[in-house]
Amino acid sequence: MIPLPPAHRIHDTLIIGGGPGGLTAAIYLRRFRRDILLVDKGNSRLGWIPVSHNYPGFPDGIHGDDLLQRLRAQLGRYDGQSHAGEVTRLTCEDGLFVAAWEGGEIRARRVLLASGVADVGMPMENFRDAVACGAIRLCPVCDGYDVLDQEVAVVGAHSDALGHALFMRTFSARVTLFIRDGAAVLDENGRRELDAAGVRYVDSPVQGVTMGERMTPLLHTRDGRVHGCDVLYPMLGEQARSDLATGLGAASVECGKLAVDVHQETTVPGLFAIGDVVRGLNQISVATGQAAVAATRIHNSLPRDWRPSA
């Protein structure tokens, strides 16, 4: 663990979260010659991705961990680094943000939150292994193309379940929609939409998922049946990790996601947010684009630090 600077130091910007958004913002701000501190809890969803073919510039795909390592290495070129730790509280004092973590306090003029989301789960056997081999996938937008013509199961728990199943129909003619135990059964209009698209519907709720001999998902429904598939999308919702911001009064919308302006600033002046924690499309490319916007705005909003000529 890299030790954090002393608590009396005032940083230009504190970045909370070391995923692709947080690291990109850190790279931009270091290139702007700003004094930053990046604190990362170490649970970026990017690290779960076995290979992404949806990020520009990597025609053969790239592993999520490899992309994180590349971004950290690039940040290191500008004397920046990611500090391991968890910020547990964020307050404002005398015009500064004060962040509490397990080792003390951090003071900064601006804060950029890139803390992401937590997925709503259900009983699943060998979840991380299944994600690593592609049997369970979390983002139809990211990798729907990678499961062309496979047997696809979609488990939904809310009103978006129908939309997720119809979206996957773009990539395969063998799509089945399941519902989570406790979720509302589709009405007749929804069933007609599925029928028209050729999507199968199972109205007995899924109570758990196990893995077959070749790491293929097996969905166990309340009626005692077991349904096999090639790949499973558990589209059960998410909750933004936005408590630090909402604790300061930042406005939030559905799933706790933060409302931001065109510069990624929340309703709390000086507090910015990017990536999955804000309202919008959960994508690596979106997070990095938002990072560029936020970092440039932060730099321009801070006092100029005129350095002597070399």
Side-chain angles (χ1 to χ4, degrees):
M1 178 184 294
I2 303 171
L4 290 177
H8 58 76
R9 180 171 169 181
I10 298 174
H11 301 276
D12 286 327
T13 304
L14 166 64
I15 300 172
I16 303 173
L23 287 166
T24 300
I27 291 167
Y28 268 71
L29 286 165
R30 284 303 299 145
R31 286 174 58 85
F32 292 145
R33 306 184 75 185
R34 289 296 181 180
D35 176 17
I36 67 162
L37 183 64
L38 189 157
V39 179
D40 181 29
K41 187 178 177 180
N43 59 0
S44 173
R45 294 165 86 228
L46 179 56
W48 295 4
I49 299 175
V51 60
S52 173
H53 297 95
N54 203 46
Y55 190 66
F58 296 95
D60 296 321
I62 183 169
H63 192 287
D65 274 333
D66 290 343
L67 182 55
L68 285 173
Q69 290 298 332
R70 286 171 180 251
L71 289 167
R72 290 174 188 139
Q74 187 172 354
L75 177 59
R77 296 283 181 92
Y78 308 109
D79 296 323
Q81 58 271 319
S82 175
H83 298 270
E86 179 181 4
V87 174
T88 56
R89 189 178 70 256
L90 194 61
T91 58
C92 289
E93 296 179 13
D94 301 324
L96 296 173
F97 291 96
V98 180
W101 74 295
E102 60 255 39
E105 290 185 340
I106 304 164
R107 297 178 180 273
R109 296 179 177 88
R110 303 286 184 272
V111 170
L112 187 149
L113 192 65
S115 48
V117 297
D119 293 289
V120 176
M122 65 177 296
M124 291 189 190
E125 181 181 78
N126 300 325
F127 176 75
R128 294 299 290 266
D129 291 339
V131 172
C133 74
I136 292 178
R137 295 174 180 261
L138 303 176
C139 179
V141 175
C142 303
D143 52 32
Y145 186 86
D146 298 334
V147 300
L148 290 179
D149 300 325
Q150 293 187 35
E151 186 74 42
V152 177
V154 177
V155 180
H158 44 73
S159 58
D160 289 340
L162 176 63
H164 287 307
L166 294 175
F167 183 87
M168 288 309 303
R169 182 61 182 83
T170 303
F171 307 103
S172 176
R174 298 184 293 157
V175 177
T176 303
L177 174 61
F178 297 81
I179 56 172
R180 171 76 188 274
D181 201 10
V185 176
L186 281 185
D187 60 21
E188 287 303 317
N189 289 334
R191 291 171 186 250
R192 280 195 290 269
E193 283 192 67
L194 292 180
D195 286 341
V199 175
R200 182 169 167 255
Y201 175 58
V202 176
D203 59 8
S204 183
V206 174
Q207 296 186 310
V209 178
T210 59
M211 303 305 297
E213 292 183 3
R214 298 182 180 180
M215 286 297 286
T216 54
L218 300 173
L219 291 80
H220 300 260
T221 50
R222 188 190 296 170
D223 59 10
R225 298 177 64 193
V226 179
H227 308 261
C229 63
D230 296 319
V231 60
L232 166 64
Y233 284 88
M235 309 308 297
L236 301 173
E238 60 192 16
Q239 184 63 35
R241 297 189 178 101
S242 58
D243 290 352
L244 293 173
T246 56
L248 284 176
S252 62
V253 290
E254 66 278 355
C255 303
K257 293 202 169 193
L258 296 171
V260 295
D261 66 13
V262 294
H263 301 291
Q264 301 300 131
E265 191 168 13
T266 71
T267 55
V268 174
L271 176 61
F272 294 76
I274 61 173
D276 295 355
V277 76
V278 306
R279 175 170 51 188
L281 184 63
N282 293 359
Q283 294 284 285
I284 305 169
S285 55
V286 171
T288 55
Q290 291 172 343
V293 171
T296 304
R297 180 65 169 186
I298 288 170
H299 171 65
N300 289 332
S301 74
L302 287 165
R304 299 293 181 182
D305 181 13
W306 304 117
R307 299 171 185 267
S309 299

